[in-house]
Amino acid sequence: MSSAELQSHFIVGLRRDVTNNLCFFEEQIIIFPAGNNCVFYNILQKWQRFIPGTEKSQGMRALAISPNCRYLAVSERGEKGTITVHDLQHEHSKKRKVLSGGETPVKEFVCMAFSSDSKYLIGQSGAPDWTLFYWMWEKHKLMATVKTSGITNPVNQVSFNPQDNTQICVIGNGIFKIFRYTEGVLKQSNFLKLETHNFLSHVWMSQERVIAGTEAGRLTVFESGELRWEMSVTSNITTQEAQRSTERKKQDDAATASSHLPRVTAIAAYSKGFACSAGPGIVCLFEKTEKDSYRKGREIQIPQDECINESSQAEQQEINTLCISPCEETLVVTTDFGQLYSITLSSAEMSKGEQAHFEFLSHSFHSGVITGLSVCIRKPLVATCSLDHSVRIWNYDTNTLELYKGFQEEAYSIALHPSGLFVLVGFADKLRWMNLLIDDIRTFKEFTVRGCRECVFSHGGHLFAAVNGNIIQIYSSTTFENTLNLKGHNGKVRGIVWSMDDSRLVSCGMDGAVYEWNTLNGKRESESVLKSCSYNSVTMSPDGKTFFSVGTDCTVKEIQDYQILRELPAEGVVCTTITMSRSGRVLFAGTSIGTIRVIKYPLPIVKNWIEYQAHAAPVTKMVITCDDQYLLTVSEDCCLFIWKIIEKEGRVLRRDKEVYYTEEVLITKYDLEEKNQMMLELKTKVEELKIQNEYQLRLTDMNYSDKIKELTEKFIQEIDSLKAKNQALQTKKEEEEVSHQQVMMELMERHSKEKQDLESSNSQKLMLEYEKYDELQLKSQSMQEDYEQQLQNMEQSKRQALEELTLHYETKLQEKVFTLGQCQEESRQQVREFEECKKQMEEDGEREIQDIRIKYERKLREEKEANLRLKGETGVMRKKFSSLQKEIDEKNMEIETMKAEQQKLQRVIKSLEKDIQGLKKEIQERDETIQDKEKRIYDLKKKNQELEKFKFVLDYKIKELRKQIEPRENDIRELKEQTQEMEGELEQFQKRNTQLELNITDLKLRLKAVEKEKHREMQRVRDIEAVVRKFKTDLHNCVGFIQEPKKLKDSICELYSRYIQQSDVVDIAGVEVEIQSEYNRQRDQLERNLASLKKKLAKDSEVYRANNIRIMKENVSLIKEINDLRQELRLVRSQVQEYESQGSSGRRIRKQSLFEVKASEPHVRQHGSAQGQRLQRPTGFPRQTYSSI
């Protein structure tokens, strides 16, 4: 237990102050914030996974998920606001990037959005700057920033255009702006005056259309950044909502008229239209119409909560976020009361007559500060109470809500009886003893204790203590009598705890006192008073000798025998609650910043604890279960955390004793009798309904038989009349067929004549088009030749200009180097002047290049436009040709006698199609030539830049080479020492390599054998699966004879004879035994060969080792000679550099020195190669280590 850790097991609750606090990861997995964590919750399987927040953050502010559901962005408050991007496909959702405002001071990002391809991210900072940041987040590159609003107008939402990553929409109070990213800047593309509108939410419906919702309940539609039309969400408001609004007006007379209007706080788009909030507790579905408008469809309401007395509380919830699943089957919403609701869209659309209602996604959460927490011994139950006037009973074993009930007053404290059947709740007016029934929490006894902040049952359950101001009152659980009143605290009592044997009680208060009381006689046994500290919580060790308390002085105190033994500083953080494990080896402390600390006992002198990111507000209560398996914590953020206590190796802690839970439930006699009576009544009703149904079935059979007789007679008469009509119609048909044949013959002759005329006219048109095409082709070829000549001329002019510039700069550099030796002060001034001149020349060169580029770009555009015109003309020709082909096909279908002529026309058409394909290929070739020209221009620009860089590098290398002469001599000495060390290491590496190679060969042989066995087994499995499939199909056919026993018996016998043969079984078994024995024999033979080869290798290695030592000695002498030659080479190069520095003769001296160096290098290389030929690499010697020498 000394090495215990915490693991997040389950979180109950929702952060409602986070923007976009709900998103779908998969069809059945949602993500929402709870405490200082992001929770992944599977709706069907009910499991959770967590991403904890970062350390020293002040809580989450916003969430955003990428469209491909791979990345999750989390915005967190702090001294510097940050956005953390997590990779959700990784096992532990590792952090990919952490983005911040950079140099601009940003405390928080209020909203974010990913682009459609998930490569870009935008973040909107908060007041007072309201700056929009645009990142390419994978490269951690800030692309642009822009100020979107003033101090008084907050921004509510930002988003990308789903089809354009450069277009961004920003909305807020009097703000609707469309920004476009161009040339590294975000520019506003629309300018609307909408000061009266407070936009709360929006969604992109298409590339140009945006729908935005306002605080006044209006839906505004924008197209291309311009306002098109508006509509009201309350156009079809229900009568129930009208009644609610009138009641609210009566309650709040001072409220303004705008506060009663339904706020459109959330909008979500889907394939059929969009869904939006339409006031408290209502979501409306809007469907697309044919006229590009939207029609209001269904209304979905949050239902009344039967367990809460205030019925309007659930209906007054404001919708915070709307989210639709990827398959558009489920709609999930979050509310400002911290609740999660869901509904299947198919059920909402099907229920046409009835009102559609949401349901809790998992169960109801607390919506106020959780003030009390307690566990019992005989059941896996947790009781919580909150300032939202509710008491809830949870099951930490199944992670479900067992019971909950709302009350009229706020609940400040709670205590669960060890049996799990009773609960004690401290309300603002009284302390109430309540029974936990099967489906209700019912008050049994009331005590006159006002505003009870602490109440605890003893471990045996026979007593309970309740705090009344600065007095602790102890009551009997059986007689409900006040047995003791413990007086002594001067301030309010903040914590009480019972000893394991219930004989003592320890309390702490705001007066800085910790008292130990005897619960038998009510006397104070020990005390520790520190007036400078106001205590928050106290706990006791299992032996009852040591107490631990935390308070406002930011320390954890260990108190024993009237004295404070140790104080552990908490680094400036106030601890709000503390508890100790049953084993007495670990302390758990909750802090005011929402973290949980695990502290070893005995307390360390220096900081030695593990801190976990848990809640987003101060921890109010903390409890450990009786078996030391779970730690439960609650906070002011309305969340309940269930932690698993595990060892450092990841194993669950062993239980000292097996814990057994009871399943008994309380129920009143009246309820039981009522249920039994209901069951009897329902049974009688079922029997009555059966009799009625049978009687009605008989009546319906009689009625249907009469109707069938009447219908048969009617149908017989109708059949006779139809037969007569049919004969008359047949005669008419024969007459009309004769007339139609004559008409068809005339039409055939007309069509043949028209066809010939069309062919002649079309052939003439095609010839004209071919002539036009040839002329255009000649023009394009001449244009291409002209452009190629111009490009060559430009290249030559550029080369000449570059050569002139290089010569000019070289002469200037030589003059300046010469003047540097005379006077350093004058040289600095000349260098500055030279740099200024250089910049001006470069700017002039860049301007000329830009002018030339603009000219050629214009010419290229003109060429492209001409090509587009040609493409358009070819397209027109294609359309004409397709229309002609359709006419020919229709006429061919009508005329059956003209088959020979049709074949001739088809051949002509095929030839024309080939010509068209040839034209297409030529057009493609032209496009490719245009692209090649563009690439050449781009390459010329690159070469120009590379030449400038090369010049700068050469200047820099001249300076560096002068500095590198002295340190290289020191490097030579160090390398000589390293060679000696490497010789010793080489021998060790050689031995290791030989041993490792032998091991590798052995392992490879074994691996091959295992892989062969694996392939054989896989083949056997596939064969067996194929037989099983055949057997299943045959068996399915046998099931069809289930009603015929003889056929069933015959088919089963056939199955047996087909699939079961004893001889095959025996043969297979024999073959497997022979294969196994042969495999073992071959393996033994290979192992023997391997052992003999190892012995031979050991002998050979000794022989080779002597040869290697001899070769090494020769190599050392040769390396020394090579080093001497290198020194001579360096001296020659230094002489060359001195000649260059003189600079009087300029280029000539440089060329001569380079010529001398080049002439000397072959001699050195020949000498080095002759010596290198004598260098022999020892056998079995690693190449890499030898080359490093």
Side-chain angles (χ1 to χ4, degrees):
M1 190 71 191
S2 58
S3 60
E5 291 183 348
L6 292 178
Q7 184 181 7
S8 297
H9 178 62
F10 205 81
I11 301 176
V12 179
L14 173 70
R15 284 279 304 279
R16 53 197 174 186
D17 58 343
V18 176
T19 306
N20 192 27
N21 59 357
L22 178 69
C23 45
F24 268 93
F25 174 53
E26 292 178 4
E27 183 63 27
Q28 298 299 333
I29 299 174
I30 60 169
I31 305 172
F32 61 88
N36 200 21
N37 292 262
C38 283
V39 182
F40 289 72
Y41 178 65
N42 191 302
I43 300 167
L44 292 178
Q45 299 175 7
K46 309 295 183 185
W47 55 257
Q48 288 186 352
R49 184 160 65 86
F50 312 97
I51 300 177
T54 56
E55 293 181 7
K56 296 181 181 178
S57 73
Q58 298 173 8
M60 297 179 189
R61 185 65 182 84
L63 296 181
I65 193 165
S66 62
N68 60 2
C69 296
R70 180 174 178 179
Y71 304 109
L72 178 70
V74 182
S75 165
E76 292 178 299
R77 294 192 197 95
E79 292 179 1
K80 280 190 174 181
T82 59
I83 296 173
T84 308
V85 182
H86 297 271
D87 188 353
L88 302 182
Q89 288 189 356
H90 194 267
E91 232 179 282
H92 303 289
S93 301
K94 70 173 183 179
K95 292 181 184 178
R96 285 292 298 271
K97 295 289 178 186
V98 178
L99 308 173
S100 63
E103 295 178 359
T104 55
V106 176
K107 291 185 178 180
E108 62 177 0
F109 291 94
V110 295
C111 49
M112 304 171 294
F114 277 97
S115 62
S116 57
D117 57 1
S118 306
K119 290 182 180 178
Y120 301 95
L121 178 71
I122 52 172
Q124 176 65 57
S125 68
D129 295 332
W130 298 107
T131 306
L132 182 70
F133 293 83
Y134 183 81
W135 288 284
M136 185 185 282
W137 67 268
E138 288 181 338
K139 295 182 180 178
H140 207 284
K141 184 181 178 182
L142 181 62
M143 307 288 284
T145 59
V146 67
K147 193 169 182 181
T148 55
S149 176
I151 299 169
T152 56
N153 297 335
V155 175
N156 295 321
Q157 190 182 353
V158 294
S159 68
F160 273 103
N161 187 329
Q163 297 176 10
D164 187 0
N165 296 339
T166 61
Q167 199 171 14
I168 297 162
C169 181
V170 180
I171 63 162
N173 190 358
I175 301 164
F176 185 89
K177 295 180 180 180
I178 303 290
F179 291 94
R180 187 173 285 280
Y181 177 75
T182 53
E183 298 177 357
V185 181
L186 284 168
K187 295 180 181 178
Q188 188 176 346
S189 59
N190 71 325
F191 296 93
L192 298 173
K193 292 183 179 180
L194 300 165
E195 287 82 4
T196 56
H197 292 74
N198 183 7
F199 295 102
L200 302 178
S201 58
H202 75 278
V203 69
W204 290 85
M205 299 303 294
S206 64
Q207 190 173 359
E208 295 182 351
R209 178 174 289 185
V210 181
I211 295 179
T214 68
E215 193 175 22
R218 305 288 295 175
L219 286 171
T220 55
V221 179
F222 296 87
E223 286 186 2
S224 303
E226 300 295 328
L227 181 62
R228 295 299 180 198
W229 49 273
E230 285 186 49
M231 64 179 292
S232 176
V233 181
T234 58
S235 57
N236 297 329
I237 194 164
T238 58
T239 55
Q240 293 177 0
E241 186 62 28
Q243 289 173 3
R244 282 185 221 148
S245 62
T246 52
E247 287 174 6
R248 287 177 205 151
K249 284 176 184 176
K250 290 176 183 176
Q251 289 172 3
D252 294 328
D253 294 330
T256 58
S258 61
S259 64
H260 298 295
L261 293 169
R263 302 167 72 226
V264 183
T265 53
I267 305 178
Y270 66 110
S271 59
K272 293 182 180 178
F274 66 91
C276 70
S277 63
I282 297 175
V283 172
C284 289
L285 299 178
F286 286 83
E287 296 176 354
K288 285 182 185 175
T289 59
E290 294 178 355
K291 298 177 181 179
D292 263 353
S293 61
Y294 299 94
R295 178 176 56 82
K296 187 174 177 182
R298 299 290 296 162
E299 267 191 12
I300 309 167
Q301 290 185 353
I302 294 174
Q304 294 182 3
D305 200 339
E306 296 176 356
C307 297
I308 295 173
N309 293 331
E310 296 179 8
S311 61
S312 61
Q313 185 178 356
E315 297 168 357
Q316 287 175 0
Q317 297 181 80
E318 199 77 60
I319 307 294
N320 277 353
T321 308
L322 276 168
C323 201
I324 297 170
S325 64
C327 296
E328 297 185 354
E329 289 183 0
T330 311
L331 172 66
V332 183
V333 300
T334 62
T335 68
D336 60 347
F337 279 42
Q339 304 297 329
L340 277 168
Y341 292 97
S342 69
I343 190 171
T344 53
L345 287 172
S346 58
S347 66
E349 290 170 358
M350 290 291 286
S351 58
K352 293 181 179 178
E354 300 175 359
Q355 179 68 45
H357 291 287
F358 283 105
E359 294 177 353
F360 284 112
L361 185 71
S362 54
H363 34 250
S364 174
F365 301 146
H366 279 294
S367 59
V369 175
I370 302 174
T371 53
L373 176 70
S374 181
V375 294
C376 63
I377 297 169
R378 295 188 65 189
K379 291 185 178 184
L381 298 180
V382 188
T384 58
C385 65
S386 169
L387 296 181
D388 62 0
H389 304 183
S390 70
V391 173
R392 295 165 198 262
I393 310 297
W394 311 86
N395 189 321
Y396 60 79
D397 197 15
T398 59
N399 304 321
T400 54
L401 179 65
E402 297 281 337
L403 283 173
Y404 77 102
K405 189 173 182 179
F407 298 92
Q408 295 294 331
E409 300 86 15
E410 292 179 343
Y412 297 129
S413 60
I414 195 165
L416 197 59
H417 194 269
S419 65
L421 299 173
F422 313 106
V423 69
L424 198 67
V425 185
F427 290 99
D429 57 346
K430 287 181 182 179
L431 178 69
R432 290 181 173 86
W433 176 290
M434 297 183 178
N435 295 333
L436 298 179
L437 304 179
I438 191 169
D439 56 357
D440 193 13
I441 302 172
R442 199 168 291 176
T443 304
F444 180 73
K445 176 72 176 174
E446 292 182 347
F447 304 92
T448 56
V449 180
R450 286 181 172 273
C452 179
R453 298 281 177 176
E454 291 290 332
C455 59
V456 183
F457 275 103
S458 63
H459 291 93
H462 59 291
L463 298 172
F464 65 87
V467 173
N468 190 357
N470 57 0
I471 300 167
I472 302 167
Q473 296 178 345
I474 296 175
Y475 292 86
S476 171
S477 298
T478 52
T479 61
F480 301 117
E481 290 180 359
N482 185 4
T483 57
L484 287 173
N485 287 323
L486 307 178
K487 298 178 182 179
H489 283 283
N490 294 324
K492 289 182 179 179
V493 179
R494 296 297 300 274
I496 51 175
V497 60
W498 290 85
S499 63
M500 294 301 290
D501 58 356
D502 295 335
S503 63
R504 286 173 297 155
L505 186 139
V506 179
S507 64
C508 69
M510 295 178 73
D511 56 354
V514 177
Y515 295 140
E516 182 183 7
W517 308 88
N518 190 322
T519 56
L520 300 174
N521 53 22
K523 291 182 179 179
R524 191 162 61 200
E525 293 189 351
S526 66
E527 64 179 21
S528 173
V529 181
L530 186 67
K531 291 185 178 179
S532 61
C533 175
S534 176
Y535 287 115
N536 295 324
S537 178
V538 68
T539 189
M540 187 188 296
S541 62
D543 57 4
K545 295 178 181 178
T546 310
F547 317 132
F548 304 91
S549 61
V550 291
T552 55
D553 61 349
C554 303
T555 58
V556 177
K557 295 179 178 62
E558 182 181 358
I559 303 167
Q560 191 175 359
D561 296 332
Y562 305 94
Q563 292 180 352
I564 298 171
L565 287 181
R566 292 187 192 85
E567 286 190 8
L568 180 65
E571 294 186 342
V573 178
V574 176
C575 294
T576 54
T577 180
I578 190 167
T579 187
M580 195 173 205
S581 63
R582 308 277 176 181
S583 63
R585 295 180 183 176
V586 181
L587 280 166
F588 299 97
T591 65
S592 59
I593 59 173
T595 58
I596 306 296
R597 291 179 177 178
V598 181
I599 308 166
K600 292 182 182 178
Y601 183 75
L603 293 177
I605 298 166
V606 190
K607 173 197 168 181
N608 188 12
W609 62 68
I610 305 169
E611 191 164 15
Y612 296 93
Q613 297 296 318
H615 296 278
V619 180
T620 53
K621 295 290 176 183
M622 183 187 294
V623 173
I624 296 177
T625 57
C626 61
D627 56 356
D628 268 356
Q629 296 293 308
Y630 296 99
L631 174 73
L632 309 168
T633 61
V634 294
S635 168
E636 291 180 8
D637 61 3
C638 317
C639 293
L640 165 66
F641 275 59
I642 302 172
W643 304 84
K644 250 186 186 172
I645 305 171
I646 58 171
E647 293 180 357
K648 278 196 174 177
E649 291 79 12
R651 294 175 293 176
V652 179
L653 293 172
R654 293 180 182 176
R655 299 179 181 178
D656 297 332
K657 294 179 182 179
E658 193 65 32
V659 178
Y660 298 100
Y661 295 124
T662 60
E663 295 183 355
E664 289 84 1
V665 177
L666 289 178
I667 187 167
T668 59
K669 186 180 178 182
Y670 175 76
D671 290 340
L672 210 156
E673 288 174 353
E674 191 177 358
K675 283 182 179 178
N676 289 331
Q677 193 174 355
M678 283 281 289
M679 285 173 69
L680 288 168
E681 288 175 359
L682 289 168
K683 281 179 182 177
T684 54
K685 281 183 181 179
V686 167
E687 289 175 357
E688 288 175 0
L689 286 167
K690 280 182 181 178
I691 294 162
Q692 285 180 1
N693 285 329
E694 287 174 359
Y695 178 69
Q696 286 177 358
L697 283 167
R698 286 174 188 170
L699 289 172
T700 51
D701 287 336
M702 294 289 288
N703 291 326
Y704 283 130
S705 61
D706 295 334
K707 286 179 180 178
I708 287 163
K709 287 177 183 178
E710 291 174 359
L711 288 168
T712 50
E713 291 175 357
K714 285 181 182 178
F715 284 131
I716 289 163
Q717 291 175 0
E718 288 177 358
I719 286 162
D720 294 333
S721 62
L722 286 168
K723 281 179 181 178
K725 287 180 182 178
N726 196 3
Q727 288 176 358
L729 289 167
Q730 279 181 355
T731 53
K732 285 183 182 179
K733 183 187 170 186
E734 289 172 357
E735 292 173 357
E736 286 178 354
E737 279 179 356
V738 174
S739 63
H740 280 303
Q741 283 177 359
Q742 292 175 358
V743 173
M744 279 292 289
M745 291 294 288
E746 292 174 359
L747 286 168
M748 291 271 278
E749 290 174 359
R750 287 180 190 172
H751 283 305
S752 62
K753 289 177 183 178
E754 288 175 0
K755 186 180 173 186
Q756 289 174 0
D757 296 334
L758 285 167
E759 282 176 0
S760 60
S761 62
N762 286 329
S763 61
Q764 289 174 3
K765 286 178 182 177
L766 282 168
M767 291 296 288
L768 291 169
E769 292 295 330
Y770 280 132
E771 289 173 359
K772 286 180 183 177
Y773 176 74
D774 292 332
E775 289 175 2
L776 289 168
Q777 194 172 7
L778 292 167
K779 284 181 184 178
S780 65
Q781 285 176 358
S782 62
M783 289 286 281
Q784 283 177 4
E785 290 172 358
D786 293 336
Y787 283 129
E788 284 174 359
Q789 287 177 0
Q790 287 177 6
L791 284 167
Q792 287 174 1
N793 294 330
M794 287 300 294
E795 284 176 1
Q796 288 175 0
S797 63
K798 282 179 184 176
R799 284 174 190 168
Q800 289 174 1
L802 283 168
E803 287 175 359
E804 289 173 0
L805 285 168
T806 50
L807 289 167
H808 181 64
Y809 285 131
E810 281 177 1
T811 53
K812 280 191 176 182
L813 281 167
Q814 287 171 3
E815 289 172 1
K816 285 178 182 178
V817 169
F818 183 75
T819 51
L820 272 169
Q822 292 176 357
C823 185
Q824 290 181 355
E825 292 179 359
E826 291 177 2
S827 65
R828 288 173 187 169
Q829 292 175 358
Q830 287 175 0
V831 166
R832 288 172 187 169
E833 290 173 2
F834 170 71
E835 286 176 354
E836 287 175 1
C837 293
K838 190 178 176 181
K839 286 178 183 177
Q840 288 175 1
M841 291 293 289
E842 286 175 354
E843 287 174 359
D844 294 336
E846 286 176 357
R847 284 172 187 169
E848 288 175 3
I849 289 159
Q850 284 179 355
D851 294 335
I852 292 160
R853 187 182 69 187
I854 289 160
K855 286 179 183 177
Y856 281 111
E857 282 178 353
R858 284 174 185 170
K859 290 178 180 179
L860 281 169
R861 283 173 190 167
E862 289 172 0
E863 280 190 0
K864 284 179 182 176
E865 287 174 359
N867 283 326
L868 288 167
R869 285 169 193 165
L870 289 169
K871 284 179 184 177
E873 289 174 1
T874 53
V876 171
M877 290 299 294
R878 284 176 198 163
K879 287 178 182 177
K880 287 179 181 179
F881 180 73
S882 61
S883 63
L884 288 168
Q885 191 174 0
K886 284 178 183 177
E887 287 177 4
I888 290 161
D889 291 335
E890 287 173 0
K891 288 174 182 178
N892 286 330
M893 289 295 289
E894 291 174 358
I895 301 161
E896 292 177 357
T897 57
M898 304 293 286
K899 288 180 181 178
E901 291 179 1
Q902 188 178 3
Q903 288 174 0
K904 289 177 184 178
L905 287 167
Q906 282 176 353
R907 289 171 190 169
V908 173
I909 288 158
K910 284 177 183 177
S911 64
L912 290 169
E913 283 177 351
K914 285 178 184 178
D915 295 334
I916 288 159
Q917 286 176 359
L919 291 168
K920 285 180 182 177
K921 286 178 183 177
E922 287 176 0
I923 290 159
Q924 286 178 357
E925 287 172 358
R926 284 187 184 182
D927 292 333
E928 286 172 0
T929 52
I930 290 160
Q931 287 176 0
D932 291 333
K933 285 179 183 179
E934 288 176 351
K935 284 179 183 176
R936 283 179 189 173
I937 292 160
Y938 182 73
D939 292 333
L940 287 168
K941 289 177 187 174
K942 272 193 174 178
K943 283 179 184 177
N944 197 356
Q945 290 175 357
E946 284 173 2
L947 287 167
E948 288 175 358
K949 288 178 184 175
F950 187 68
K951 184 188 167 203
F952 179 79
V953 170
L954 286 171
D955 295 334
Y956 185 75
K957 279 185 179 177
I958 290 162
K959 292 176 184 176
E960 277 190 341
L961 288 167
R962 288 173 186 169
K963 294 176 184 176
Q964 287 176 1
I965 292 164
E966 292 178 0
R968 287 200 177 180
E969 290 177 356
N970 297 326
D971 293 339
I972 291 159
R973 291 172 192 167
E974 290 176 0
L975 287 167
K976 284 179 181 178
E977 291 174 358
Q978 285 179 3
T979 51
Q980 293 175 358
E981 292 175 0
M982 290 293 284
E983 285 173 3
E985 288 177 3
L986 281 168
E987 291 178 0
Q988 294 176 359
F989 281 126
Q990 187 179 358
K991 291 176 184 178
R992 288 179 188 172
N993 283 331
T994 52
Q995 210 164 14
L996 286 166
E997 283 173 359
L998 290 168
N999 291 333
I1000 287 160
T1001 52
D1002 190 9
L1003 289 166
K1004 282 180 179 176
L1005 288 167
R1006 288 181 184 176
L1007 223 169
K1008 284 178 182 176
V1010 170
E1011 282 178 353
K1012 284 178 182 176
E1013 285 180 1
K1014 183 181 138 189
H1015 288 306
R1016 284 173 191 164
E1017 291 296 327
M1018 289 288 286
Q1019 189 62 39
R1020 280 182 65 199
V1021 169
R1022 286 172 194 153
D1023 295 336
I1024 289 161
E1025 284 177 352
V1027 172
V1028 168
R1029 284 182 203 134
K1030 288 178 183 177
F1031 181 76
K1032 281 181 179 177
T1033 53
D1034 292 340
L1035 200 140
H1036 182 71
N1037 293 330
C1038 288
V1039 171
F1041 302 114
I1042 195 80
Q1043 300 295 332
E1044 298 176 0
K1046 288 181 181 180
K1047 288 184 180 180
L1048 184 65
K1049 183 181 177 182
D1050 294 334
S1051 59
I1052 288 164
C1053 291
E1054 283 178 7
L1055 281 175
Y1056 183 84
S1057 61
R1058 192 183 299 168
Y1059 291 102
I1060 296 169
Q1061 293 178 3
Q1062 293 181 355
S1063 61
D1064 292 344
V1065 174
V1066 172
D1067 291 339
I1068 289 160
V1071 169
E1072 285 180 354
V1073 171
E1074 288 172 2
I1075 289 162
Q1076 189 66 32
S1077 63
E1078 181 64 24
Y1079 169 72
N1080 292 329
R1081 187 178 63 75
Q1082 288 179 3
R1083 188 173 179 179
D1084 293 336
Q1085 182 66 28
L1086 288 167
E1087 286 177 353
R1088 285 173 198 157
N1089 292 335
L1090 215 157
S1092 63
L1093 287 167
K1094 281 182 181 177
K1095 289 177 183 177
K1096 285 180 184 178
L1097 217 157
K1099 289 178 184 177
D1100 292 338
S1101 62
E1102 290 177 359
V1103 174
Y1104 286 128
R1105 189 179 175 187
N1107 291 329
N1108 289 338
I1109 291 162
R1110 181 177 56 76
I1111 291 161
M1112 279 291 294
K1113 288 177 181 177
E1114 290 177 2
N1115 289 342
V1116 169
S1117 63
L1118 291 168
I1119 287 162
K1120 286 179 181 176
E1121 290 178 10
I1122 288 163
N1123 287 330
D1124 294 334
L1125 288 167
R1126 284 177 180 167
Q1127 285 180 356
E1128 288 177 9
L1129 231 173
R1130 287 188 187 115
L1131 289 169
V1132 171
R1133 285 178 179 167
S1134 64
Q1135 288 175 6
V1136 171
Q1137 288 174 358
E1138 286 175 4
Y1139 288 133
E1140 286 177 354
S1141 64
Q1142 289 174 5
S1144 60
S1145 58
R1147 272 181 158 182
R1148 292 176 184 174
I1149 295 167
R1150 246 189 226 173
K1151 288 178 181 177
Q1152 288 175 4
S1153 62
L1154 288 167
F1155 182 78
E1156 287 173 3
V1157 172
K1158 286 177 182 176
S1160 63
E1161 277 181 356
H1163 176 70
V1164 175
R1165 284 174 188 160
Q1166 286 174 6
H1167 186 69
S1169 63
Q1171 297 290 338
Q1173 285 173 2
R1174 283 186 284 163
L1175 283 169
Q1176 296 178 2
R1177 186 172 61 83
T1179 56
F1181 200 76
R1183 288 185 179 176
Q1184 292 178 352
T1185 54
Y1186 187 71
S1187 63
S1188 66
I1189 295 167

